[in-house]
Amino acid sequence: MIKDIQNCCAGAKFLPDMKIQFDSQGGANMLTSQADINAWIERVKKAILSGGKAYEIQNTSENR
């Protein structure tokens, strides 16, 4: 889904993304560790505090 959104917004800048996984039965049991989520939050903070160094998605065949 993240790549789909990025493809629809070619030229937009995005901060680091993260896929958070829940159990395959549709329950509320989160499989992604809290430590991984905390590390992602820190990457987003650093990107914002470093002048918004986000990455730009180009509309290329590899992103389609």
Side-chain angles (χ1 to χ4, degrees), residues 10 21 24 29 54 59 61:
Q21 185 176 356
S24 62
N29 184 32
N59 195 4
S61 59

PDB file of all heavy atoms in Angstrom, residues 10 21 24 29 54 59 61:
ATOM      1  N   ALA A  10       3.774  11.044  -7.278  1.00  0.00           N
ATOM      2  CA  ALA A  10       5.109  11.222  -7.862  1.00  0.00           C
ATOM      3  C   ALA A  10       5.578  12.659  -7.659  1.00  0.00           C
ATOM      4  O   ALA A  10       4.820  13.604  -7.841  1.00  0.00           O
ATOM      5  CB  ALA A  10       5.090  10.875  -9.335  1.00  0.00           C
ATOM      6  N   GLN A  21       3.069  -4.942  11.376  1.00  0.00           N
ATOM      7  CA  GLN A  21       2.321  -6.170  11.106  1.00  0.00           C
ATOM      8  C   GLN A  21       1.552  -6.631  12.333  1.00  0.00           C
ATOM      9  O   GLN A  21       2.072  -6.661  13.443  1.00  0.00           O
ATOM     10  CB  GLN A  21       3.284  -7.270  10.663  1.00  0.00           C
ATOM     11  CG  GLN A  21       2.569  -8.530  10.261  1.00  0.00           C
ATOM     12  CD  GLN A  21       3.522  -9.578   9.720  1.00  0.00           C
ATOM     13  OE1 GLN A  21       4.718  -9.336   9.572  1.00  0.00           O
ATOM     14  NE2 GLN A  21       3.007 -10.726   9.423  1.00  0.00           N
ATOM     15  N   SER A  24      -2.108 -12.629  11.500  1.00  0.00           N
ATOM     16  CA  SER A  24      -2.770 -12.933  10.237  1.00  0.00           C
ATOM     17  C   SER A  24      -4.241 -13.304  10.401  1.00  0.00           C
ATOM     18  O   SER A  24      -4.965 -13.436   9.419  1.00  0.00           O
ATOM     19  CB  SER A  24      -2.042 -14.068   9.515  1.00  0.00           C
ATOM     20  OG  SER A  24      -2.081 -15.240  10.315  1.00  0.00           O
ATOM     21  N   ASN A  29      -3.324  -8.489  17.917  1.00  0.00           N
ATOM     22  CA  ASN A  29      -1.987  -8.862  18.368  1.00  0.00           C
ATOM     23  C   ASN A  29      -0.939  -8.315  17.405  1.00  0.00           C
ATOM     24  O   ASN A  29      -0.851  -8.746  16.262  1.00  0.00           O
ATOM     25  CB  ASN A  29      -1.879 -10.385  18.466  1.00  0.00           C
ATOM     26  CG  ASN A  29      -0.545 -10.828  19.014  1.00  0.00           C
ATOM     27  OD1 ASN A  29       0.055 -10.142  19.821  1.00  0.00           O
ATOM     28  ND2 ASN A  29      -0.081 -11.972  18.564  1.00  0.00           N
ATOM     29  N   ALA A  54      13.701  14.313   3.566  1.00  0.00           N
ATOM     30  CA  ALA A  54      12.843  13.224   3.137  1.00  0.00           C
ATOM     31  C   ALA A  54      13.341  12.768   1.787  1.00  0.00           C
ATOM     32  O   ALA A  54      14.165  13.425   1.164  1.00  0.00           O
ATOM     33  CB  ALA A  54      11.397  13.711   3.049  1.00  0.00           C
ATOM     34  N   ASN A  59       8.633   8.842 -10.437  1.00  0.00           N
ATOM     35  CA  ASN A  59       7.686   7.933 -11.093  1.00  0.00           C
ATOM     36  C   ASN A  59       8.461   7.115 -12.128  1.00  0.00           C
ATOM     37  O   ASN A  59       8.552   7.458 -13.284  1.00  0.00           O
ATOM     38  CB  ASN A  59       6.557   8.724 -11.746  1.00  0.00           C
ATOM     39  CG  ASN A  59       5.395   7.836 -12.106  1.00  0.00           C
ATOM     40  OD1 ASN A  59       5.390   6.649 -11.806  1.00  0.00           O
ATOM     41  ND2 ASN A  59       4.394   8.408 -12.742  1.00  0.00           N
ATOM     42  N   SER A  61       9.648   3.018 -13.581  1.00  0.00           N
ATOM     43  CA  SER A  61       9.040   1.707 -13.781  1.00  0.00           C
ATOM     44  C   SER A  61       9.229   0.813 -12.568  1.00  0.00           C
ATOM     45  O   SER A  61       8.393  -0.016 -12.275  1.00  0.00           O
ATOM     46  CB  SER A  61       9.642   1.031 -15.017  1.00  0.00           C
ATOM     47  OG  SER A  61      11.032   0.894 -14.866  1.00  0.00           O
TER      48      SER A  61
END
